[in-house]
Amino acid sequence: MDLALSDTDTSSGFSARSDDENSRSPCATSPVMKKRRGRADGGPPVKRNRRVKANDRERNRMHSLNDALEILREVLPACPEETKMTKIETLRFAHNYIWALSETLRNADLEAERSFHRAEAPINPGSSSEAWSCSSSSSSSSSSSSSPVYCASSPGSPENYFQPQDAMFLRAFVPPVY
DNA sequence: TAGGCCATCTGGTCCT
DNA sequence: AGGACCAGATGGCCTA
């Protein structure tokens, strides 16, 4: 236990520590000082010790959160660029991806149903797998439930989570890779 | 240089 | 009492 407690210097005033976490966090490229707040003396030793342990737990908690986010990134369709999705992009994209997959399933069901009745009714051309087709703007009308990945305007659709300014916006046009 | 993203610290709150 | 969770604050890094 207390693996990071060795860095109790964390608590010692303004010395921003960090060899430890900076080395493990990909973003922190150099071991520079992180911010420090609160009493410089750290307060009463007992409280201080508790704080240090709480900090350590919080750090681990955030690390595990980031790990989960990383696993999520790996599950999502690969993107051509090597740029790493930001956290918010990852979440939005995941939301869209799930939405699009369920839309694909729904369309497949509809298609199956149509082909079942095909003997009696004329064929209705087009219409399948539109969830992944990103025709520029008309797509909002393609399905009743809502719009494809990038489309704006439809209740319950991902547009609330998916902002065009995100780099993810472009990735949403890429069909899923299995 | 401003803005975005991120890691960390911190104190508060809730739960066991 | 102590841990988990959360949100605010702070400062570093990177890019346009």
Side-chain angles (χ1 to χ4, degrees):
Chain A
M1 47 175 66
D2 284 353
L3 11 90
L5 271 193
S6 54
D7 74 323
T8 35
D9 50 290
T10 327
S11 55
S12 61
F14 303 86
S15 67
R17 75 62 60 62
S18 59
D19 355 284
D20 185 279
E21 61 235 76
N22 279 314
S23 63
R24 47 177 306 180
S25 75
C27 284
T29 50
S30 66
V32 207
M33 53 166 51
K34 293 293 184 179
K35 76 86 175 284
R36 183 110 344 217
R37 285 198 308 161
R39 304 173 52 161
D41 62 356
V46 178
K47 271 194 170 185
R48 191 60 223 156
N49 186 46
R50 246 160 83 176
R51 227 318 120 196
V52 168
K53 291 208 294 190
N55 289 349
D56 189 46
R57 286 193 303 273
E58 177 68 6
R59 216 179 301 128
N60 290 333
R61 196 179 71 85
M62 296 310 293
H63 286 165
S64 67
L65 184 63
N66 288 340
D67 289 345
L69 221 37
E70 191 54 42
I71 291 174
L72 181 58
R73 282 191 188 99
E74 290 171 3
V75 168
L76 293 175
C79 44
E81 322 103 81
E82 59 190 24
T83 63
K84 183 181 174 184
M85 281 188 277
T86 66
K87 293 179 175 181
I88 188 66
E89 283 174 347
T90 301
L91 292 175
R92 283 175 177 154
F93 189 32
H95 177 272
N96 277 333
Y97 188 46
I98 292 170
W99 178 87
L101 287 179
S102 51
E103 197 67 2
T104 299
L105 284 177
R106 198 180 66 85
N107 286 336
D109 284 347
L110 287 177
E111 188 62 28
E113 195 173 337
R114 264 194 283 262
S115 61
F116 179 77
H117 297 296
R118 196 163 291 167
E120 304 154 11
I123 301 174
N124 185 8
S127 82
S128 69
S129 65
E130 290 179 14
W132 291 109
S133 74
C134 39
S135 50
S136 40
S137 57
S138 61
S139 42
S140 61
S141 61
S142 64
S143 82
S144 60
S145 73
S146 55
S147 48
V149 196
Y150 63 95
C151 286
S153 83
S154 64
S157 72
E159 93 264 9
N160 290 333
Y161 303 86
F162 196 59
Q163 308 299 325
Q165 64 264 29
D166 292 334
M168 291 300 318
F169 185 72
L170 297 176
R171 295 190 177 102
F173 290 83
V174 181
V177 178
Y178 298 107

